[in-house]
Amino acid sequence: MAPIVYQDLLSPPVQAVTLTVRAAGLDSKVQFKTVSLAAGEHLKPEYVKKFPMHAVPALEDDGFYLWDSHAICAYIISAYAKDDKLYPKDPKKKALVDQFLHFSNSILYIRLRDITEPLWKQLTNTIPEEKKERVHEAFKSLDTMLEGKKWLTGDSMTIADICVVCEVNAAEIHPVMAPIVYQDLLSPPVQAVALTVRAAGLDSKVQFQNVSLAAGDHLKPEFVKKFPMHAVPALEDDGFYLWDSHAICAYIISAYAKDDKLYPKDPKKKALVDQFLHFSNSILYTRLRDMSEPMWKGLTKTVPEEKKEKVHEAFKSLDTMLEGKQWLTGDSLTIADICVVCEANAAQNLAGDFSKYKNISAWFKRCQTTIPAFEEIAIAGNNQYKAILAKLMA
């Protein structure tokens, strides 16, 4: 029977074994079977029984089992290769190769795993600088050891080069950086984004950075360069930029949430949510801004009645659309509810409350009790907004 190597090619040690087989010209003598790490196939009882370390690569050869990539590479060459060029039998040459195999395992692999394991376990989305420095210390040592050499142990490539290069290549992968949301919680659209992150359970995956509107932080050249609309919220995700709250909410769910409950992928369900996102933006937000902007600019201290009436027209429409519904698009909370409730809550500050609208009132209470951190974000943020408006109207 041909030896079997169990593999998942995303693993650097698996890559090393695969390259060793190819370099030795043993493609026809070694079988490869894929074991999906993402699907948890390495944790199945029948696999763990053979390989208690439940990892890949792993080798099975007629009842003989190995679970370390360096040992597998050495065994494949020793047992099946036509010569010993990749893993010399000469004691001194072999010792030099072994030395770098241990360097690969105990230095490079361990330091790479120290970076990646917290990411795999979703404990963090960032990499501490000290961990990166430890990898670069190893790179520096490796660079010194390569001085004046073509290959790690001299003039010929060995499995030492193969194993080490796979770890080095993996360690160079750019870290996954958490998306950044720039915020000032007095803004209703910012509140909507913050609530979306909480509702999706993405607190650990999204960073928030405060941008003070009162201090004019949003007008600084470095902010405007990224976000020409110079507004909050704004999102930065590894060179990708968004400046509209509704687009940001949709993106966060689509890119990072574990499911699509808050922003469905089904075309009809998604269209219903999108419809209310546009209602939030083009009706509620626009009418709120029409009341507040002249105050922010110091042009007035009062709100004309006709502007308040326009808001109540929107409230009346919203109340009708909520008739017989728990949530705006049906039986489940979505980002439509989150965005609309933040605008409706803020609009009360200048247009008067919506207590006479029974459906809105009931829905608002559901939002308060259902959306995580609603008091902390929407109510507290609106209180800040209300306090500023009071000063502007004084």
Side-chain angles (χ1 to χ4, degrees), residues 177-183 190 193-194 196-197 202 205-209 211 223 226-228 231-256:
M177 300 301 292
I180 302 167
V181 171
Y182 298 92
Q183 67 167 5
V190 164
V193 172
T196 295
V197 170
L202 295 172
K205 292 188 176 180
V206 179
Q207 296 181 53
F208 285 90
Q209 287 188 17
V211 173
F223 189 83
K226 292 177 180 177
F227 308 107
V232 289
L235 176 138
E236 178 178 356
D237 190 3
D238 194 23
F240 177 65
Y241 303 100
L242 290 174
W243 43 258
D244 175 81
S245 62
H246 307 84
I248 292 170
C249 290
Y251 172 73
I252 286 172
I253 299 304
S254 300
Y256 291 98

Side-chain angles (χ1 to χ4, degrees), residues 6-203:
Y6 297 91
Q7 68 165 5
D8 187 326
L9 271 179
L10 64 82
S11 158
V14 164
Q15 296 159 20
V17 171
T18 306
L19 289 174
T20 295
V21 170
R22 288 289 184 91
L26 295 172
D27 306 56
S28 63
K29 292 187 177 181
V30 178
Q31 295 182 53
F32 285 92
K33 287 189 176 180
T34 297
V35 173
S36 172
L37 297 176
E41 292 176 357
H42 59 304
L43 300 174
K44 290 182 176 179
E46 60 271 25
Y47 188 84
V48 176
K49 186 176 180 180
K50 292 179 181 177
F51 308 107
M53 289 296 289
H54 51 79
V56 289
L59 176 138
E60 178 179 357
D61 190 4
D62 195 23
F64 177 65
Y65 303 100
L66 289 174
W67 43 258
D68 175 82
S69 62
H70 307 84
I72 293 170
C73 289
Y75 172 74
I76 286 172
I77 299 304
S78 300
Y80 291 97
K82 64 182 180 181
D83 57 48
D84 69 341
K85 289 179 183 176
L86 289 172
Y87 191 50
K89 293 174 182 174
D90 176 85
K92 288 184 179 178
K93 291 180 179 179
K94 177 179 177 296
L96 289 174
V97 174
D98 288 342
Q99 182 170 251
F100 278 105
L101 293 182
H102 289 292
F103 173 78
S104 167
N105 206 356
S106 65
I107 305 296
L108 290 173
Y109 174 72
I110 294 299
R111 294 182 188 184
L112 173 60
R113 187 181 65 187
D114 195 34
I115 287 175
T116 58
E117 194 167 53
L119 297 173
W120 278 98
K121 292 181 177 179
Q122 297 186 332
L123 301 176
T124 183
N125 272 38
T126 58
I127 299 170
E129 287 302 315
E130 60 269 21
K131 290 188 177 183
K132 296 179 189 177
E133 287 168 11
R134 293 281 289 162
V135 172
H136 282 276
E137 285 172 13
F139 284 171
K140 187 176 179 181
S141 298
L142 180 61
D143 196 63
T144 301
M145 292 185 283
L146 279 164
E147 183 68 36
K149 294 179 184 175
K150 288 188 73 174
W151 303 99
L152 286 174
T153 63
D155 296 326
S156 299
M157 181 179 79
T158 68
I159 59 172
D161 299 280
I162 294 172
C163 291
V164 169
V165 78
C166 289
E167 297 298 343
V168 169
N169 186 44
E172 281 192 314
I173 292 173
H174 295 293
V176 178
M177 300 301 292
I180 302 167
V181 171
Y182 298 92
Q183 67 167 5
D184 188 326
L185 270 182
L186 64 83
S187 157
V190 164
Q191 296 160 22
V193 172
L195 289 175
T196 295
V197 170
R198 288 292 186 91
L202 295 172
D203 307 54

